[in-house]
Amino acid sequence: MRIAFMLSMLILLAACGGPDPTPAPAPPPLAATVPAVAPSPPAAEAPAPAAAGDAQALAGVGGRAGLERLVERFYTELLGDPVTAEYFELADAAPLKAKLVDQFCELLGGPCSYTGRSMRGSHWGMRLEMRHFDATIAALERAMEAESVAPEARRALLAKLAPMYTDIVEFRGSDERPAVEARLAQPGP
């Protein structure tokens, strides 16, 4: 049973690398009430990249080279967390890391183009809960701390990633929100 589950996770993760062939509608607003179980896997559009003036956030990460180091550390953190490890230990890491670098770069206003599938399409069927999303964000925060990412760049990236939970998490209460939203609502870097 465990082997079948892990193989299905590997297949789903491998699917993350390909382009999403269907155009996707914009995700619902963050304040929207979401049912506890989504009825079908609708496609969703990726969040808009940062404005050109936000390219300073990319510099705060250390540019593309800094993003590559950050994603390496992030992946190591994901593998070391018992909540997230099973979703990443059998994945084809190199293409997944490359997609993450492109996605983070685009979100931070860099000259990159994310060509992977939508977040909803990539994660549908994985039965992810809010605890998985929160653990993933916590792993990213640990990686950013370890890589000395500038506070402004951390907030910029987290602000772009936090709303993605609506496309990633399948099972949640209608009022359940990621822990990172409360931290982003606080003033300061």
Side-chain angles (χ1 to χ4, degrees), residues 7 33 58 73 76-77 84 91 99 108 134 142 150 161 171 187:
L7 286 175
T33 301
L58 182 59
R73 178 81 63 146
T76 299
E77 291 287 339
T84 58
K99 293 289 184 194
L108 291 174
D134 286 339
R142 289 190 303 272
L161 294 173
F171 300 99

Side-chain angles (χ1 to χ4, degrees), residues 44-56:
E45 186 175 300
D54 292 339
Q56 289 178 336

